[in-house]
Amino acid sequence: MSFVDDYALTRSSVFKTLVGVFVLITVVNVIVIRQVYKDSDAFHREQLVKQLQDESAEFSFVAKQSKEDVERLLATKRASETSFYYRLTERSESVSNTPTYPIRTLPSSVASIFVGDTHQLVIGIDHHAVEAYQKSLIPIVFSGIILPVAVMLIAALFFTILILKRLERVNRAMNRVLCGERDVKIAVSKQDDEFDILAIHLNFMIEQMAKNEASLKSLTVGMAHDMRTPMARLKLRLEEILSDEKLTVKQSDQLSACHDELELILSLFNSMLEIAKLNSGQTKLATEAVDIGRVAHDAIEFISPIAEMKQQRLICRQDQLCEVQGDKSLLFRAVFNLIENAVKYTPDHGDIEVIIDHFGVVVADSGIGISESDKMSVCHPMFRADKSRKEQGNGLGLSLVDAVVKRHNAHLILRDNNSGANQLSGSRLYDDSLCEGNCGLRARIYFER
């Protein structure tokens, strides 16, 4: 039952429904058993009343014979197990000669029989016998209540765990799909029940999603590949035209703007192709020892002029040596993209800190941050958390970082930088987030050791 905890049981609608049904059955069972108990006790009392009448008739017959016969019969009755008590006393005028048999007040039900002219015999139901019979019913009553309740509760737990176990398999498979796996298949049993039908439908849905995604990727990559060549030719032609001295200043400016826009589009297509090749494994990685600290310092040297223009405080701190096997060029681009994003989305006079430890590199800033809802999508190609599009970019920077780190068996982890501005140093840099967006971003490239 490691896959089923108290929380899973309490939130399970199946378990709640079964428990509700069993509680209703238990209440009905208690009412029925209580009525059976009362009817059984009443029936027992009625039988005692009938036996009392028989006893009274027997002693009345013997009393007509002689007192000695009554005493002999009385001795015989007392020697045997009986539910009545017998008292032979002297005759009292206050006692009526007519025997009474009150049924609803059985503990005081008696029959009085005259024996001769001087004595009378009182026969009554022994209340100890009535109590003994009631006590004998109690274990039967409790077993009739507790045993079904225990069986129903065990059955509820068994069926709930059985259902939750099969649902857990489906949930785990769908979580793998949500995490990016596509070759996921949910096991289908031979029972051919509703869970198997659900598994078949989900497997078909996963296959269709994989086909649609593959088709979309193929279309996107194909378009990027096919359009890159004519765009490159168009770029060369614009460069030839720009080299013509007969152009006016206005014409030269317009053609230069077109050239820059075309170069931006061409760069976008090149990045899309590169990310697609990295994700598909078509790009061969150079394998060499790479010092991540050295890579981070080189990236900071490239980006520092922009940080100085924005009067940002860019700090690099190496706590431990971090050396990995991989492609130095790709790792440089990944680290550079993280630092560039931090500089781009951190306001003027902001703080950015790059920390290298044994497990990788951390880039923390005091910028606008990324909301929790966007953290799951920010690594998708063309996705931009900056909905205003104020900053220049194409939404491929973090996609490239994610593709590079995955090829190096590493992880890109994005968290809110809760330490805030001017407090980026120290252990607080590694604390979990307590805010959402607008408190800075902490991006880590984590290499498994």
Side-chain angles (χ1 to χ4, degrees):
M1 286 178 53
S2 59
F3 53 87
V4 179
D5 52 13
D6 295 338
Y7 176 68
L9 283 176
T10 53
R11 69 192 293 261
S12 171
S13 58
V14 176
F15 183 70
K16 292 177 181 177
T17 302
L18 290 176
V19 170
V21 172
F22 292 158
V23 168
L24 180 61
I25 295 175
T26 301
V27 172
V28 174
N29 185 46
V30 170
I31 294 174
V32 171
I33 291 180
R34 180 176 179 273
Q35 189 61 40
V36 170
Y37 173 80
K38 293 174 64 177
D39 293 344
S40 178
D41 184 55
F43 178 77
H44 178 250
R45 292 174 182 239
E46 291 176 0
Q47 294 300 315
L48 290 178
V49 170
K50 292 180 180 180
Q51 293 179 15
L52 177 61
Q53 293 175 352
D54 294 339
E55 291 286 311
S56 176
E58 183 179 2
F59 275 98
S60 296
F61 176 78
V62 176
K64 295 178 181 179
Q65 305 299 322
S66 63
K67 179 184 177 182
E68 289 74 12
D69 293 337
V70 172
E71 291 177 346
R72 284 194 295 271
L73 180 59
L74 185 59
T76 303
K77 294 288 185 180
R78 288 174 175 173
S80 61
E81 294 183 0
T82 179
S83 301
F84 306 98
Y85 64 87
Y86 307 90
R87 288 200 300 268
L88 185 60
T89 61
E90 293 183 356
R91 183 175 179 179
S92 174
E93 295 181 356
S94 60
V95 179
S96 173
N97 191 32
T98 304
T100 59
Y101 310 101
I103 297 176
R104 296 301 178 189
T105 57
L106 287 180
S108 61
S109 297
V110 295
S112 181
I113 302 171
F114 291 104
V115 181
D117 297 332
T118 59
H119 291 79
Q120 67 178 1
L121 177 63
V122 179
I123 306 174
I125 298 176
D126 190 357
H127 69 277
H128 294 292
V130 177
E131 292 177 355
Y133 180 78
Q134 292 176 344
K135 290 180 180 179
S136 67
L137 290 178
I138 292 177
I140 300 176
V141 170
F142 276 103
S143 62
I145 296 175
I146 296 175
L147 185 60
V149 170
V151 171
M152 288 188 292
L153 183 59
I154 294 174
L157 289 172
F158 173 76
F159 286 112
T160 302
I161 292 173
L162 185 65
I163 293 173
L164 289 179
K165 182 178 180 181
R166 300 193 66 178
L167 289 177
E168 181 67 17
R169 295 175 182 171
V170 176
N171 289 331
R172 287 180 179 177
M174 298 309 297
N175 285 336
R176 290 169 57 193
V177 174
L178 292 176
C179 291
E181 293 188 42
R182 290 297 175 260
D183 298 330
V184 178
K185 292 291 183 182
I186 303 175
V188 180
S189 66
K190 298 181 180 180
Q191 299 177 10
D192 196 24
D193 55 13
E194 61 274 13
F195 290 101
D196 294 319
I197 296 175
L198 176 63
I200 292 172
H201 290 166
L202 290 177
N203 286 336
F204 179 76
M205 183 189 71
I206 294 171
E207 289 178 1
Q208 293 301 311
M209 289 174 57
K211 290 179 181 179
N212 293 337
E213 183 177 357
S215 176
L216 182 60
K217 285 184 177 179
S218 176
L219 177 62
T220 305
V221 173
M223 288 180 59
H225 187 274
D226 293 340
M227 294 180 68
R228 184 175 60 172
T229 301
M231 284 185 178
R233 293 173 182 172
L234 184 58
K235 178 184 174 183
L236 291 175
R237 290 176 182 176
L238 285 175
E239 291 175 352
E240 290 179 1
I241 296 174
L242 286 172
S243 63
D244 191 354
E245 298 178 354
K246 297 180 181 180
L247 293 176
T248 64
V249 176
K250 184 177 180 180
Q251 291 175 338
S252 179
D253 292 341
Q254 290 179 346
L255 289 174
S256 296
C258 292
H259 178 271
D260 293 340
E261 294 293 337
L262 187 60
E263 189 172 8
L264 181 62
I265 297 174
L266 189 58
S267 174
L268 173 63
F269 285 160
N270 288 333
S271 298
M272 291 175 60
L273 287 173
E274 185 175 15
I275 293 172
K277 290 180 179 180
L278 282 171
N279 289 328
S280 62
Q282 297 179 10
T283 302
K284 294 183 178 180
L285 302 183
T287 304
E288 58 180 316
V290 180
D291 183 358
I292 299 299
R294 183 68 266 169
V295 168
H297 281 89
D298 293 341
I300 290 174
E301 288 182 7
F302 273 90
I303 200 67
S304 58
I306 300 177
E308 291 175 359
M309 290 176 58
K310 300 180 70 172
Q311 298 181 4
Q312 296 171 340
R313 189 164 65 100
L314 183 56
I315 303 172
C316 181
R317 192 183 82 211
Q318 182 163 355
D319 294 340
Q320 295 172 308
L321 176 66
C322 180
E323 191 174 277
V324 298
Q325 294 292 323
D327 191 305
K328 185 176 181 179
S329 176
L330 289 176
L331 289 173
F332 170 81
R333 294 181 63 185
V335 175
F336 177 81
N337 280 0
L338 287 184
I339 301 175
E340 183 185 32
N341 272 358
V343 172
K344 182 186 299 184
Y345 294 106
T346 299
D348 295 350
H349 307 285
D351 297 312
I352 302 166
E353 187 168 9
V354 180
I355 300 176
I356 300 94
D357 58 19
H358 177 68
F359 296 99
V361 59
V362 177
V363 179
D365 61 63
S366 58
I368 61 175
I370 301 177
S371 65
E372 290 296 330
S373 59
D374 289 339
K375 284 189 177 71
M376 297 295 294
S377 306
V378 76
C379 290
H380 294 172
M382 308 302 294
F383 181 88
R384 295 189 64 181
D386 180 19
K387 301 299 188 294
S388 63
R389 306 281 176 169
K390 293 180 180 179
E391 298 292 340
Q392 184 179 1
N394 49 32
L396 295 176
L398 289 180
S399 300
L400 179 63
V401 176
D402 187 58
V404 171
V405 298
K406 284 182 178 178
R407 287 298 305 274
H408 288 82
N409 296 322
H411 304 278
L412 174 61
I413 304 172
L414 302 177
R415 294 289 185 269
D416 290 329
N417 185 30
N418 189 42
S419 54
N422 300 321
Q423 297 180 7
L424 295 177
S425 59
S427 60
R428 291 192 62 186
L429 182 64
Y430 301 93
D431 293 343
D432 289 335
S433 168
L434 297 176
C435 59
E436 180 175 336
N438 298 324
C439 60
L441 180 68
R442 186 176 78 245
R444 165 181 276 275
I445 297 179
Y446 176 81
F447 295 94
E448 293 186 354
R449 299 294 185 175

